[in-house]
Amino acid sequence: MPSFLAHDGTELAYHVHGTGEPLVCLPGGPGRASRYLGDLGGLPRRLILLDGRGTGDSAIPADPGTYRWDRLAEDVEALREHLGLARMDLLAHSAGANVAVRYAGLHPARVRSLCLVTPSSVAVGLPPTEEDWQAGLDLRQDEPWHPAALAAFLADEGVERHRFFYGPWTEQTASHAAGAEEECAEAAADGFYAPSPVTPEEVRAGLDTLDAPALLLTGDLDAHPCRLSAPAFAALFRDATPVTLPGAGHFPWVDDPAAFVSAVSGFLDKVA
């Protein structure tokens, strides 16, 4: 398992899948180990999956303040330096999008492309409301499984509560959902959204300097509010392509690997 030292001396691990052009991948959660990303549906790239500090195979930092989303951008830069990449293609999932946009604004010349998958938009000042969450939970209220899944969601227990975030509920998706319990690090999750001095205006100003193209990919069955904020999020970039995958939820590479790979590869191939 390869690793490197962050600027504060914390040892961070990453995992490599596949061959070809590198694609640096940031997990969400927040605080989830990168293994849930798998091979991203068979994406034909050399995937470099970063375990955030305190998650997966990465060390716990001495300073818990470094779990915060804006501070994690420093680890992305340390990884780029370690890999020796002048510019990189960067993919981030869910909460990881907050880290990615902060990094892109701080180091726009280092980003060749930015792919945000079912992205959280808290960092740019588009936090979800209770109404947004309710709209997501109501998306499939006519399904026979809805009452039991909603009860599990509200109680925050049982794998059934994750059903709102997948398209088809199969053995594969249920297994993927079950992994969340052991893949999330509580301290990293709790520290991710700690109060930050970095304002949404500052993050947006950074994105305004970014020339690299961005892809914002969502699923039309995702209960997460990213489905609603994606159009406004995309409008913050100079060059952004919003794509919605039908029948997919919050983990579209699990729901429909072929459609996911087609969308992401098509975007990356144009950049190359």
Side-chain angles (χ1 to χ4, degrees), residues 16-267:
V16 180
H17 294 285
T19 59
E21 285 290 313
L23 176 64
V24 174
C25 303
L26 309 181
R32 192 166 180 179
S34 66
R35 68 178 181 223
Y36 80 98
L37 297 173
D39 64 357
L40 287 174
L43 195 64
R45 284 276 178 142
R46 179 160 61 95
L47 306 180
I48 299 168
L49 313 180
L50 176 64
D51 277 344
R53 50 184 55 220
T55 75
D57 293 313
S58 288
I60 296 173
D63 178 7
T66 59
Y67 284 130
R68 208 174 61 219
W69 61 269
D70 58 293
R71 298 288 299 277
L72 293 177
E74 301 168 16
D75 294 341
V76 180
E77 176 61 3
L79 174 58
R80 183 199 64 79
E81 293 171 351
H82 167 75
L83 296 172
L85 299 174
R87 301 177 73 205
M88 63 182 174
D89 297 315
L90 184 61
L91 180 146
H93 175 245
S94 194
N98 298 293
V99 181
V101 294
R102 178 57 174 163
Y103 176 80
L106 289 173
H107 305 280
R110 299 302 189 185
V111 178
R112 187 170 72 165
S113 70
L114 187 61
C115 181
L116 305 179
V117 180
T118 58
S120 165
S121 53
V122 173
V124 295
L126 297 171
T129 65
E130 290 187 13
E131 291 77 12
D132 293 337
W133 275 107
Q134 189 60 55
L137 295 173
D138 289 345
L139 265 177
R140 289 182 279 178
Q141 59 185 339
D142 295 331
E143 296 283 354
W145 52 262
H146 188 273
L150 182 61
F153 180 85
L154 295 176
D156 194 26
E157 59 182 25
V159 72
E160 191 81 4
R161 74 186 188 276
H162 298 289
R163 191 159 184 170
F164 293 101
F165 304 100
Y166 291 88
W169 190 247
T170 64
E171 287 187 11
Q172 181 184 9
T173 53
S175 175
H176 187 268
E181 308 305 319
E182 60 186 56
E183 291 164 356
C184 285
E186 185 175 353
D190 290 345
F192 189 85
Y193 285 122
S196 170
V198 179
T199 65
E201 290 74 21
E202 185 176 345
V203 178
R204 290 183 180 213
L207 290 183
D208 196 45
T209 68
L210 183 67
D211 286 325
L215 171 69
L216 281 78
L217 188 65
T218 55
D220 70 345
L221 294 182
D222 189 2
H224 192 286
C226 63
R227 176 180 51 84
L228 303 175
S229 61
F233 199 171
L236 300 176
F237 294 88
R238 293 185 183 182
D239 179 6
T241 303
V243 173
T244 300
L245 296 182
H250 202 60
F251 307 89
W253 67 93
V254 179
D255 290 322
D256 191 341
F260 176 84
V261 168
S262 177
V264 176
S265 291
F267 168 74

